[in-house]
Amino acid sequence: RLALAQNDLEFQSTFAGSLGLVHKRLGKADLALARFTQAAELARNTGYKTNEAAAYSQMAAIFRNRG
């Protein structure tokens, strides 16, 4: 809530990416993709290129595993 209240988009991006990892490890690829997409968008809006790249990398791994 604090990150939302303070409009801390970098933290929100990191948190969304972390939730994406949890969903990915639980085998919930669609939920993971939604969180990684959110993380990438937030990172892009803040110029946080490292987090944006990490989110896209995770999405690519999911698509690769799907075949």
Side-chain angles (χ1 to χ4, degrees), residues 14-25:
T14 300
F15 189 72
S18 295
L19 289 176
L21 288 172
V22 170
H23 289 307
K24 182 180 171 190
R25 290 182 183 149

